[in-house]
Amino acid sequence: MTTSSLTRATLAKDLRLEWRSKDAINSMLFFALLVVVIFSFSFNPTAEESRQIAGGLVWVAFLFAAVVALNQTWARELRNQVLDAYRVSPAPANSLFLAKAFGNFIFVAVLEALMTPLFIVFYNLRALGPTWQLPVVAALGTWALVVNGTFFAAMSIRTRSREIMLPLLLFPISIPAVLAMVEATSAILSGEYSARPWIALLATYDVVFTTGCLLLFETVLDAE
Amino acid sequence: MKRAFPILAVLTAVLLSYALYQALEVAPTEATMGDVQRIFYYHVPSAWTAFLLFLTNFVASVVYLIRRNTKADIVALVSAEVGVVFCTVVLVTGPIWARPVWGIWWTWDLRLTLTLVLWLIYVSYLMLRRFSSSGQTPLMAAVLAVFGALDVPLVYFSIWYFRTQHPSPVIGGGGSLDPRMGRVLLINWAAFLCFAVLVCWSRYRVERLQREVEETQALEGLLESRGAR
Amino acid sequence: MNSYLYAAYAATWIVHIAYLSMVSRRYARLRRESELQMSLPDEFLKLVDALLHQYEANYKSQEFFQSIGCLFEFARKRGFSGTGELVQFLQGNSAGAVSRLGLRYEVSQHVTLFEKVILERNPALRLHDDVRRSGGTVAFTDYSRDWLQDLVRTIEYHGLHWDPVSGRIL
């Protein structure tokens, strides 16, 4: 089996599991919904204000919701020693990593697609800048969260109190990515300045950390 | 080697008091900020020392990943921990300096923010070391240290872009340093570097002792369970 | 204005002293524990005796290998380096049992056996990085004992038998 076919097989398995249980997507959706409602309540912004703060709110909601899904990534494989079986099998570790990262990317992307209309309704959003850049920012930003999140989730399953450990590891490292996502989104919504340097920064972040994860994942998976 | 430690301790104490005297008495008073500017002689050397220790942590982590050497792991742990201590000093003295000079405690200035983010990254590093189960700690920590180092240039550029879009009071920068001030600054840095080496050394010995005690405990547990049967 | 300056200097040293006191308290605690551990040799020697009798009974058992690993580690902590010194230590302290079993020969033989097994390893076995890196010599740490146990189990699981005398997998 080649790397890509192994990735596809694992990804299909995860998607099928999720399709049947809908654990991750349901909890993420409800969580993000709560964040949206609470923020909207507590700030009750006008259209002009919401353009300035929405970038931050959207991404904070997605970031917290993504952690819910990321925590489930590997926990599922611990039952019945599935992860040990992966480690003993001759399959390349990176194909497993990529499958998990793609899976999380799909979950978070679905969440974003479902939540965006809600944000538009609650915050009366209308982009004043080039709207076509928004999906680009969303894709790059989601990948930035998910690639490191999947990696750190694999690290945090080895720790005590692993559910708490993941955000503690992920958030500090993600600061530049979160800043870039928020600023790019605000730039597009307000139309006051260009989002391009931020998109470039996000793309750089993605390339750097995807490379880093692929180089080091086998080490982390095999750690005793 | 046994005598090197007390010698270094005495040298550090002498250097620190000499540096303090230089900072308070010898260095010229700054024209606009007055005496408050003397915080500079503690703030800046602490920052440089912290960055140097974080660099040491990165190098030691890479060495650990390649060689799986226990010493490198202890060096990484110690330098991160002492680095966080020095970084805390920077973050505490920074606002105390900013308040009388700029009238604000905190601003999202490039250097301040970079220091804060570094502090956060290394605190999360220490948390990971605390929480992971013993056998895997060094490896996980080394991987996280490499990720943290990859993050630093990205953090730098993101804050730099951020600053260009949200201008704030222009702070420091430009202007050349009085050579007398530069000399006092270097003396203080030398003193704090010596102090950092001293602290790291003590911490290194404590860590070695801790690992030995833990290993022996595990061993005794094993021997007892066998001997009892 | 000067109060800010002194506050900053005081804060610097408060942070440093807080950290140093944390380190020194830990040092004091560890020192006590380590002294307690060093004062245990009598207990230890009793255990050595018990182990050697066990050794007589289960010559080929996995537990023997684990126990020998423990002994090595324990002796290393008390400053013994190689196999020879360890044997002297054991002979000096538990002479009867050792001479009865001819431990000098046995111990050194088994150390090389470990190495042999690892060097002539079955390529299907996944070896730990530490072992790979050190070119086949195993340090008797907590980990490698578990590893060895796993190795023996894996060999048996595959329907093979590990002959401890020749060190070969049959």
Side-chain angles (χ1 to χ4, degrees):
Chain A
M1 279 178 111
T2 61
T3 304
S4 67
S5 67
L6 277 163
T7 307
R8 249 178 288 135
T10 319
L11 180 61
K13 178 216 82 170
D14 277 346
L15 290 181
R16 207 177 306 126
L17 266 175
E18 182 56 35
W19 181 248
R20 290 185 186 158
S21 70
K22 300 187 185 65
D23 280 348
I25 201 80
N26 277 340
S27 43
M28 280 199 311
L29 259 180
F30 190 60
F31 192 83
L33 181 67
L34 286 177
V35 174
V36 172
V37 171
I38 289 172
F39 279 175
S40 177
F41 246 146
S42 37
F43 294 125
N44 194 15
T46 63
E48 193 42 48
E49 284 165 359
S50 61
R51 236 175 239 126
Q52 295 184 345
I53 59 168
L57 290 186
V58 173
W59 283 107
V60 168
F62 290 160
L63 180 65
F64 283 113
V67 169
V68 177
L70 291 168
N71 259 328
Q72 296 182 359
T73 317
W74 302 102
R76 190 179 272 156
E77 312 293 353
L78 284 181
R79 260 174 276 150
N80 305 323
Q81 277 76 48
V82 182
L83 201 57
D84 288 334
Y86 273 121
R87 283 151 78 188
V88 194
S89 79
N94 280 339
S95 65
L96 175 64
F97 175 76
L98 283 176
K100 290 290 184 187
F102 287 144
N104 283 326
F105 183 82
I106 293 172
F107 298 154
V108 179
V110 169
L111 167 88
E112 287 169 1
L114 293 174
M115 289 306 292
T116 310
L118 265 182
F119 267 107
I120 294 173
V121 169
F122 271 109
Y123 295 94
N124 300 307
L125 289 180
R126 196 170 59 83
L128 298 178
T131 319
W132 62 268
Q133 285 178 346
L134 272 177
V136 178
V137 174
L140 288 174
T142 310
W143 181 252
L145 291 183
V146 152
V147 73
N148 270 352
T150 311
F151 189 84
F152 288 133
M155 274 167 72
S156 63
I157 50 164
R158 317 295 181 87
T159 60
R160 283 178 276 138
S161 58
R162 57 178 97 110
E163 310 267 296
I164 307 168
M165 208 58 221
L166 174 63
L168 294 187
L169 296 178
L170 179 61
F171 290 179
I173 297 276
S174 301
I175 287 174
V178 172
L179 193 63
M181 291 171 227
V182 171
E183 286 297 309
T185 312
S186 304
I188 296 165
L189 288 179
S190 67
E192 280 168 15
Y193 46 92
S194 167
R196 276 172 201 277
W198 290 112
I199 295 176
L201 186 80
L202 261 184
T204 318
Y205 184 96
D206 285 352
V207 170
V208 167
F209 280 101
T210 309
T211 317
C213 288
L214 290 179
L215 287 178
L216 287 169
F217 183 70
E218 191 167 6
T219 319
V220 169
L221 184 72
D222 284 350
E224 288 294 336
Chain B
M1 261 323 253
K2 274 224 154 150
R3 220 176 294 158
F5 189 82
I7 291 175
L8 181 65
V10 171
L11 180 73
T12 307
V14 172
L15 255 178
L16 276 172
S17 13
Y18 179 63
L20 182 65
Y21 164 75
Q22 289 275 325
L24 287 178
E25 297 295 329
V26 178
T29 310
E30 217 263 357
T32 47
M33 292 189 241
D35 276 341
V36 177
Q37 182 267 345
R38 294 178 198 276
I39 294 179
F40 175 75
Y41 302 117
Y42 267 38
H43 180 76
V44 175
S46 301
W48 289 351
T49 312
F51 295 154
L52 202 65
L53 284 166
F54 290 151
L55 184 69
T56 314
N57 168 272
F58 171 63
V59 173
S61 301
V62 171
V63 169
Y64 180 80
L65 279 179
I66 297 169
R67 295 249 183 92
R68 304 294 158 102
N69 176 325
T70 318
K71 270 187 194 161
D73 176 50
I74 301 181
V75 169
L77 164 68
V78 167
S79 55
E81 211 176 283
V82 180
V84 166
V85 172
F86 273 87
C87 208
T88 311
V89 168
V90 178
L91 290 175
V92 171
T93 51
I96 298 179
W97 188 10
R99 177 70 199 173
V101 176
W102 309 322
I104 40 169
W105 290 107
W106 185 266
T107 174
W108 295 104
D109 160 69
L110 176 57
R111 278 165 297 177
L112 282 180
T113 315
L114 185 64
T115 315
L116 179 65
V117 174
L118 268 179
W119 188 84
L120 289 173
I121 290 175
Y122 281 93
V123 169
S124 88
Y125 172 89
L126 293 177
M127 296 277 262
L128 175 72
R129 294 206 73 119
R130 236 189 123 85
F131 278 107
S132 58
S133 52
S134 59
Q136 304 149 355
T137 313
L139 192 71
M140 300 288 153
V143 169
L144 183 64
V146 170
F147 270 65
L150 287 179
D151 210 31
V152 171
L154 290 161
V155 174
Y156 183 88
F157 279 112
S158 66
I159 303 167
W160 187 69
Y161 281 140
F162 187 73
R163 286 266 48 89
T164 54
Q165 272 159 21
H166 306 262
S168 67
V170 177
I171 286 158
S176 58
L177 200 65
D178 186 317
R180 281 174 303 169
M181 289 184 175
R183 200 179 66 87
V184 176
L185 180 68
L186 285 181
I187 293 173
N188 269 281
W189 192 34
F192 274 104
L193 261 186
C194 275
F195 181 63
V197 170
L198 193 72
V199 175
C200 285
W201 193 346
S202 331
R203 183 67 185 82
Y204 182 87
R205 282 162 72 168
V206 171
E207 185 65 21
R208 288 292 288 267
L209 182 63
Q210 169 151 7
R211 290 188 184 200
E212 265 174 38
V213 166
E214 277 169 4
E215 268 177 44
T216 315
Q217 276 169 350
L219 220 59
E220 275 168 359
L222 220 77
L223 276 171
E224 266 158 41
S225 68
R226 306 232 162 277
R229 258 190 286 150
Chain C
M1 282 300 254
N2 266 345
S3 58
Y4 282 105
L5 172 64
Y6 295 128
Y9 278 18
T12 303
W13 288 109
I14 288 171
V15 171
H16 281 308
I17 288 168
Y19 176 68
L20 282 177
S21 71
M22 198 185 84
V23 172
S24 55
R25 248 179 297 143
R26 182 185 285 189
Y27 178 70
R29 181 174 56 80
L30 286 170
R31 210 41 213 266
R32 268 200 309 278
E33 283 180 20
S34 123
E35 272 164 19
L36 215 67
Q37 285 178 347
M38 291 310 232
S39 65
L40 279 176
D42 281 352
E43 287 290 304
F44 171 64
L45 291 177
K46 265 183 236 158
L47 291 173
V48 169
D49 261 345
L51 275 172
L52 291 172
H53 286 299
Q54 213 180 19
Y55 169 54
E56 215 169 1
N58 320 304
Y59 174 68
K60 283 172 191 169
S61 75
Q62 297 165 17
E63 274 164 31
F64 164 72
F65 294 103
Q66 289 180 4
S67 314
I68 288 291
C70 289
L71 285 182
F72 271 104
E73 190 66 8
F74 211 95
R76 193 182 58 76
K77 284 200 179 309
R78 273 156 185 70
F80 299 95
S81 51
T83 337
E85 272 187 273
L86 170 71
V87 173
Q88 273 174 10
F89 168 77
L90 290 175
Q91 277 175 335
N93 287 298
S94 183
V98 172
S99 61
R100 206 163 55 239
L101 294 164
L103 193 74
R104 180 185 192 85
Y105 173 65
E106 298 290 346
V107 168
S108 50
Q109 194 195 25
H110 278 101
V111 173
T112 47
L113 283 185
F114 288 146
E115 290 174 9
K116 257 196 207 160
V117 173
I118 292 148
L119 289 172
E120 299 170 3
R121 63 184 188 259
N122 186 332
L125 298 173
R126 255 174 104 108
L127 285 185
H128 187 256
D129 276 352
D130 286 346
V131 178
R132 239 181 302 181
R133 266 165 225 286
S134 60
T137 33
V138 185
F140 290 98
T141 60
D142 220 25
Y143 173 72
S144 51
R145 269 196 307 281
D146 291 348
W147 176 84
L148 194 71
Q149 206 176 3
D150 283 350
L151 182 68
V152 173
R153 229 180 261 149
T154 319
I155 292 167
E156 280 166 6
Y157 178 80
H158 288 288
L160 300 167
H161 175 64
W162 175 41
D163 181 19
V165 179
S166 67
R168 287 177 191 284
I169 299 170
L170 304 171

XYZ file of all heavy atoms in Angstrom, chain B residues 40-86:
378
model
N 16.853 50.208 33.254
C 17.499 49.696 32.047
C 18.621 48.697 32.360
O 18.746 47.676 31.704
C 18.049 50.929 31.342
C 18.863 50.714 30.111
C 18.270 50.360 28.924
C 20.240 50.925 30.139
C 19.029 50.222 27.779
C 21.001 50.779 28.992
C 20.389 50.426 27.812
N 19.435 48.976 33.394
C 20.598 48.124 33.678
C 20.205 46.779 34.284
O 21.054 45.900 34.400
C 21.587 48.853 34.597
C 22.069 50.143 34.008
C 21.802 51.356 34.633
C 22.740 50.151 32.793
C 22.215 52.543 34.074
C 23.146 51.335 32.222
C 22.878 52.528 32.863
O 23.280 53.692 32.296
N 18.982 46.648 34.720
C 18.515 45.339 35.167
C 17.630 44.693 34.105
O 17.689 43.489 33.883
C 17.727 45.468 36.482
C 18.578 45.268 37.703
C 19.874 45.747 37.751
C 18.094 44.574 38.798
C 20.664 45.558 38.865
C 18.872 44.381 39.922
C 20.157 44.870 39.945
O 20.937 44.674 41.047
N 16.831 45.535 33.470
C 15.831 45.042 32.516
C 16.495 44.422 31.286
O 16.223 43.277 30.937
C 14.950 46.232 32.119
C 13.872 45.915 31.159
N 12.719 45.264 31.531
C 13.753 46.154 29.836
C 11.948 45.134 30.471
N 12.548 45.657 29.435
N 17.387 45.168 30.667
C 17.966 44.703 29.394
C 18.883 43.494 29.579
O 18.749 42.512 28.846
C 18.668 45.874 28.677
C 19.382 45.406 27.433
C 17.657 46.949 28.338
N 19.810 43.504 30.568
C 20.629 42.289 30.750
C 19.779 41.056 31.038
O 20.086 39.973 30.549
C 21.513 42.627 31.938
C 21.597 44.089 31.959
C 20.275 44.587 31.463
N 18.691 41.220 31.805
C 17.828 40.068 32.077
C 17.231 39.540 30.777
O 17.170 38.330 30.553
C 16.691 40.451 33.023
O 17.212 40.921 34.229
N 16.801 40.470 29.913
C 16.201 40.048 28.639
C 17.223 39.292 27.798
O 16.937 38.201 27.285
C 15.687 41.264 27.885
N 18.430 39.849 27.681
C 19.450 39.164 26.867
C 19.764 37.785 27.434
O 19.912 36.810 26.698
C 20.731 40.016 26.813
C 20.580 41.241 25.980
C 19.517 41.553 25.175
C 21.504 42.338 25.858
N 19.718 42.770 24.580
C 20.932 43.273 24.979
C 22.749 42.612 26.422
C 21.557 44.462 24.637
C 23.387 43.792 26.076
C 22.799 44.717 25.191
N 19.875 37.725 28.767
C 20.184 36.431 29.393
C 19.058 35.430 29.105
O 19.318 34.274 28.775
C 20.358 36.608 30.905
O 21.222 37.707 31.135
C 20.927 35.380 31.533
N 17.808 35.898 29.240
C 16.680 34.991 28.989
C 16.726 34.464 27.561
O 16.569 33.261 27.324
C 15.367 35.711 29.252
N 16.971 35.350 26.588
C 16.997 34.906 25.190
C 18.122 33.909 24.967
O 17.962 32.908 24.263
C 17.142 36.096 24.240
C 15.955 37.021 24.284
C 16.073 38.357 23.945
C 14.703 36.549 24.669
C 14.973 39.203 24.002
C 13.602 37.384 24.721
C 13.741 38.718 24.388
N 19.266 34.182 25.595
C 20.404 33.268 25.464
C 20.054 31.892 26.041
O 20.380 30.853 25.455
C 21.602 33.863 26.206
C 22.974 33.367 25.764
C 23.236 33.796 24.350
C 24.045 33.920 26.683
N 19.346 31.892 27.170
C 18.975 30.618 27.789
C 17.974 29.871 26.907
O 18.044 28.648 26.775
C 18.380 30.860 29.172
C 19.419 31.193 30.237
C 18.759 31.755 31.481
C 20.222 29.962 30.598
N 17.045 30.598 26.288
C 16.088 29.933 25.395
C 16.810 29.350 24.184
O 16.464 28.272 23.703
C 14.995 30.909 24.954
C 14.058 31.289 26.075
C 13.425 32.517 26.094
C 13.814 30.413 27.120
C 12.574 32.867 27.128
C 12.969 30.750 28.158
C 12.347 31.978 28.165
N 17.822 30.070 23.712
C 18.618 29.539 22.600
C 19.318 28.252 23.041
O 19.350 27.259 22.306
C 19.629 30.591 22.163
C 20.476 30.227 20.942
C 19.610 30.190 19.709
C 21.604 31.213 20.754
N 19.869 28.281 24.261
C 20.524 27.079 24.805
C 19.534 25.923 24.851
O 19.861 24.789 24.502
C 21.030 27.347 26.234
O 21.701 28.596 26.248
C 21.941 26.253 26.704
N 18.316 26.232 25.283
C 17.283 25.195 25.358
C 17.050 24.578 23.988
O 16.976 23.354 23.841
C 15.997 25.812 25.895
C 14.810 24.902 25.727
O 14.153 24.932 24.694
N 14.553 24.075 26.717
N 16.982 25.424 22.956
C 16.741 24.911 21.604
C 17.887 24.002 21.165
O 17.661 22.881 20.685
C 16.571 26.082 20.633
C 16.529 25.671 19.195
C 15.512 24.851 18.734
C 17.503 26.091 18.311
C 15.483 24.455 17.412
C 17.470 25.701 16.987
C 16.465 24.882 16.539
N 19.121 24.475 21.362
C 20.281 23.686 20.939
C 20.298 22.343 21.681
O 20.460 21.279 21.081
C 21.588 24.475 21.188
C 22.792 23.596 20.914
C 21.626 25.712 20.322
N 20.073 22.397 22.998
C 20.104 21.159 23.789
C 18.997 20.212 23.340
O 19.205 18.992 23.277
C 19.956 21.486 25.271
N 17.826 20.755 22.988
C 16.728 19.895 22.543
C 17.070 19.206 21.235
O 16.776 18.023 21.047
C 15.451 20.711 22.374
O 15.106 21.321 23.573
N 17.695 19.957 20.315
C 18.084 19.346 19.038
C 19.110 18.246 19.293
O 19.018 17.146 18.732
C 18.624 20.414 18.065
C 19.220 19.764 16.842
C 17.520 21.371 17.675
N 20.081 18.541 20.167
C 21.084 17.527 20.501
C 20.386 16.296 21.079
O 20.702 15.170 20.717
C 22.123 18.089 21.500
C 23.001 16.974 22.041
C 22.967 19.148 20.835
N 19.393 16.526 21.947
C 18.691 15.376 22.523
C 17.992 14.572 21.442
O 18.046 13.334 21.439
C 17.677 15.819 23.584
C 16.976 14.615 24.161
C 17.607 13.849 25.133
C 15.747 14.188 23.668
C 17.018 12.703 25.623
C 15.157 13.046 24.157
C 15.791 12.309 25.133
O 15.217 11.161 25.594
N 17.344 15.252 20.501
C 16.611 14.535 19.447
C 17.557 13.689 18.606
O 17.199 12.610 18.135
C 15.867 15.519 18.552
C 14.538 16.021 19.098
C 13.913 17.006 18.125
C 13.577 14.870 19.331
N 18.777 14.185 18.400
C 19.724 13.436 17.561
C 20.401 12.324 18.357
O 20.495 11.190 17.916
C 20.775 14.395 16.969
C 20.082 15.409 16.054
C 21.830 13.631 16.187
C 20.963 16.546 15.639
N 20.874 12.670 19.586
C 21.715 11.727 20.311
C 21.010 10.978 21.422
O 21.563 10.038 21.980
C 22.897 12.483 20.936
C 23.835 13.085 19.939
C 25.179 12.377 19.962
N 26.083 13.037 19.023
C 26.895 14.010 19.355
N 26.930 14.415 20.599
N 27.660 14.577 18.462
N 19.825 11.449 21.843
C 19.116 10.865 22.992
C 20.003 10.819 24.230
O 20.153 9.792 24.882
C 18.623 9.445 22.674
C 17.752 9.350 21.480
C 16.450 10.074 21.702
N 15.861 10.427 20.430
C 14.874 9.767 19.868
N 14.323 8.773 20.475
N 14.406 10.154 18.699
N 20.600 11.962 24.497
C 21.576 12.053 25.567
C 20.904 12.682 26.792
O 20.313 13.748 26.701
C 22.711 12.928 25.016
C 23.770 13.216 26.027
O 23.481 13.364 27.199
N 24.991 13.322 25.581
N 20.987 12.003 27.936
C 20.290 12.489 29.139
C 20.796 13.854 29.570
O 20.028 14.693 30.024
C 20.502 11.504 30.303
O 20.369 10.199 29.798
C 19.486 11.740 31.391
N 22.118 14.063 29.432
C 22.670 15.350 29.846
C 22.032 16.484 29.050
O 21.677 17.527 29.612
C 24.183 15.365 29.619
C 24.936 14.878 30.822
C 26.423 15.065 30.627
C 27.183 14.278 31.671
N 28.563 14.043 31.299
N 21.894 16.268 27.746
C 21.292 17.311 26.914
C 19.871 17.602 27.387
O 19.436 18.758 27.426
C 21.281 16.877 25.455
N 19.161 16.552 27.792
C 17.793 16.742 28.265
C 17.782 17.586 29.530
O 16.963 18.504 29.670
C 17.146 15.379 28.520
C 15.776 15.532 29.110
O 14.987 16.303 28.534
O 15.493 14.899 30.126
N 18.705 17.303 30.446
C 18.720 18.080 31.690
C 19.092 19.530 31.383
O 18.500 20.460 31.939
C 19.691 17.460 32.712
C 19.285 16.018 33.014
C 19.694 18.257 33.993
C 20.160 15.333 34.024
N 20.062 19.721 30.479
C 20.442 21.093 30.119
C 19.227 21.827 29.546
O 18.958 22.986 29.887
C 21.607 21.088 29.109
C 21.826 22.474 28.536
C 22.873 20.598 29.775
N 18.455 21.132 28.697
C 17.279 21.772 28.099
C 16.293 22.174 29.185
O 15.788 23.305 29.202
C 16.622 20.827 27.103
N 16.033 21.269 30.100
C 15.080 21.569 31.180
C 15.553 22.757 32.005
O 14.809 23.713 32.246
C 14.919 20.336 32.083
C 14.275 20.611 33.445
C 12.830 20.999 33.280
C 14.383 19.405 34.352
N 16.832 22.700 32.415
C 17.360 23.734 33.305
C 17.353 25.082 32.610
O 16.930 26.098 33.184
C 18.775 23.332 33.763
C 19.474 24.488 34.403
C 18.704 22.159 34.713
N 17.804 25.116 31.343
C 17.879 26.421 30.682
C 16.480 26.990 30.461
O 16.286 28.200 30.573
C 18.653 26.320 29.371
O 18.086 25.352 28.553
N 15.497 26.127 30.188
C 14.140 26.649 30.014
C 13.619 27.216 31.325
O 13.015 28.290 31.363
C 13.214 25.551 29.512
N 13.879 26.511 32.409
C 13.339 26.956 33.691
C 13.970 28.279 34.125
O 13.260 29.237 34.466
C 13.598 25.871 34.739
C 12.539 25.817 35.805
C 12.783 24.673 36.762
O 12.492 23.529 36.369
O 13.258 24.917 37.874
N 15.300 28.348 34.078
C 15.977 29.585 34.477
C 15.637 30.697 33.486
O 15.466 31.867 33.877
C 17.491 29.351 34.586
C 18.203 30.620 34.991
C 17.779 28.260 35.594
N 15.501 30.341 32.200
C 15.090 31.339 31.210
C 13.744 31.942 31.545
O 13.545 33.148 31.426
N 12.806 31.105 31.978
C 11.487 31.621 32.353
C 11.613 32.560 33.543
O 10.950 33.604 33.603
C 10.513 30.458 32.656
C 9.275 30.964 33.364
C 10.108 29.782 31.368
N 12.511 32.230 34.489
C 12.699 33.116 35.643
C 13.198 34.488 35.173
O 12.658 35.528 35.555
C 13.674 32.495 36.653
C 14.018 33.502 37.734
C 13.077 31.254 37.275
N 14.214 34.491 34.311
C 14.746 35.769 33.825
C 13.711 36.507 32.996
O 13.589 37.731 33.053
C 16.034 35.536 33.024
C 17.253 35.503 33.894
C 17.665 34.319 34.486
C 17.978 36.651 34.148
C 18.777 34.293 35.306
C 19.090 36.634 34.971
C 19.490 35.441 35.552
